[in-house]
Amino acid sequence: MILNRLRRVVISGTGSHLPEKRITNRDLEGMVDTADEWIRQRTGIIERRLAAPEQATSDLALEAARRAVADADLAPADIDQLIVATVTPDHAFPSTACLVQHRLGCRQVPAFDLSAACSGFIYGLAVARTAIAAGTARHILVIGAETLTRFTDYGDRGTCILFGDGAGAAVLSRAEEADDDSGIIDTHLAADGSGAELMILPGGGSRLPPSPEMLAKRQNYIKLEGRAVYKNAISKIVMLVNESLERCRLNREDINLIIPHQMNARIIESAAKHLDIPLEKIFINLDRYGNTSAATIPIALDEARRENRLHKGDLVVLVAFGGGMTWASALLRW
Ligand SMILES: CC(C)(COP(=O)(O)OP(=O)(O)OC[C@H]1O[C@@H](n2cnc3c(N)ncnc32)[C@H](O)[C@@H]1OP(=O)(O)O)[C@@H](O)C(=O)NCCC(=O)NCCS
């Protein structure tokens, strides 16, 4: 049967990079009509990172990528493909992935950006897994990297409290040990463009090219229907986890760790309650970084490893919901 010939795919290395500068809730109090306490209670965020003026998305991506490749005990020349999940690329083209491929010192391998907003890293994981399982690549570098603060309106208190900059990366590799069951067990990707307006960067593309009018209307900044996103996110996260367990004939008690997209602590806590999964099994670091879109999950994955929250044999769920709308999950045996 063809399925038996497909290769098992493991995460062989992780890395992350966060810019040094922080924006605290107190800093935001000086910019818009808000309060540290309101932000903490409504979102769980305490501070976020801000890229330096000379840093773009590829700079953060490159550093995270270097760390992930080294962690996998590989050299850049071993990488067979690069995917950068981002909605804040350096340029419309060339892709951020091409910039990283060159600066990292990779061979002339395929490199492309993937736009699926906050679900981007899991989308990248699924694409990479398919290529490795089919035998067309052995090691693929999947990066989630964003500089969302460049597109954040620091005059809009509904959005400026949420976003930060950062990058995370993972190397996916063909599994070597035959008697091991570690690796990606299940992925699920979905999209519904009817909700495109709920989270959108309206200006700067072909619909609304840069113009004085576009800038005057502040359409070069992220617009968000926070409440609608909030409700949708909870139900989608619950559905994704339940359906993945069902497909794999596993129970929620089997899960050791859930790494959700870091958008709002209340969303994550409410989803955990609906799933009846204790908060100790949910990884949260949004208090320090806010929402870095496609970068939240690979950053969290890297931190979870370094904090010894992942052990061989653990069942790990990655789950995300974001702009598009898009949503995605991945189930891994560590
Ligand atoms: C944005 C978000 C934090 C707002 O929290 P909320 O509890 O939904 O709050 P609401 O939008 O209902 O606003 C409640 C009140 O707080 C006010 N408010 C909004 N932002 C505020 C802020 N930063 N400080 C103080 N008050 C604020 C609103 O104006 C509103 O006032 P009103 O009742 O007088 O009209 C929340 O909806 C959220 O996190 N949504 C998910 C968004 C997200 O992460 N999207 C990214 C894509 S993954």
Side-chain angles (χ1 to χ4, degrees), residues 89-270:
D90 291 28
H91 314 284
F93 70 90
S95 71
T96 304
C98 284
L99 306 178
V100 175
Q101 177 261 344
H102 171 63
R103 288 173 65 198
L104 189 60
C106 296
R107 288 174 290 116
Q108 294 174 346
V109 294
F112 58 93
D113 287 2
L114 190 157
S115 172
C118 306
S119 311
F121 180 75
I122 302 179
Y123 265 62
L125 220 59
V127 171
R129 177 201 185 200
T130 307
I132 296 171
T136 59
R138 189 162 176 197
H139 304 291
I140 301 186
L141 184 54
V142 183
I143 306 168
E146 305 281 7
T147 44
L148 289 173
T149 63
R150 297 276 150 79
F151 305 92
T152 297
D153 185 350
Y154 286 97
D156 173 12
R157 67 178 183 173
T159 55
C160 73
I161 58 169
L162 300 172
F163 302 116
D165 302 333
V171 178
L172 268 63
S173 299
R174 186 198 306 165
E176 298 300 346
E177 300 88 10
D179 58 346
D180 189 329
D181 69 345
S182 64
I184 301 174
I185 302 168
D186 177 62
T187 58
H188 180 75
L189 311 179
D192 178 4
S194 71
E197 303 286 328
L198 295 180
M199 285 166 275
I200 186 166
L201 179 53
S206 61
R207 177 70 60 196
L208 267 179
S211 69
E213 295 74 26
M214 187 276 270
L215 295 173
K217 289 184 185 161
R218 303 180 84 75
Q219 287 167 317
N220 53 320
Y221 293 124
I222 299 165
K223 310 287 177 209
L224 184 67
E225 296 286 340
R227 268 277 119 189
V229 173
Y230 189 99
K231 287 186 193 149
N232 250 306
I234 297 171
S235 60
K236 289 291 188 301
I237 291 170
V238 171
M239 180 196 77
L240 282 163
V241 175
N242 280 334
E243 288 186 359
S244 183
L245 288 173
E246 216 168 285
R247 273 193 301 277
C248 299
R249 298 202 166 85
L250 292 161
N251 302 312
R252 63 173 190 279
E253 293 79 17
D254 299 323
I255 296 175
N256 297 97
L257 191 67
I258 298 185
I259 301 183
H261 169 49
Q262 309 284 309
M263 59 200 303
N264 181 315
R266 283 194 300 149
I267 291 176
I268 296 172
E269 284 160 15
S270 173

Side-chain angles (χ1 to χ4, degrees), residues 252 255-260 268-269 272-273 276-284 304 307-311 314-315:
R252 63 173 190 279
I255 296 175
N256 297 97
L257 191 67
I258 298 185
I259 301 183
I268 296 172
E269 284 160 15
K273 201 168 165 194
D276 196 17
I277 290 180
L279 278 177
E280 304 83 76
K281 288 190 174 185
I282 319 273
F283 191 87
I284 298 183
E307 290 172 16
N308 227 5
R309 301 267 313 259
L310 290 171
H311 307 101
D314 278 359
L315 191 69

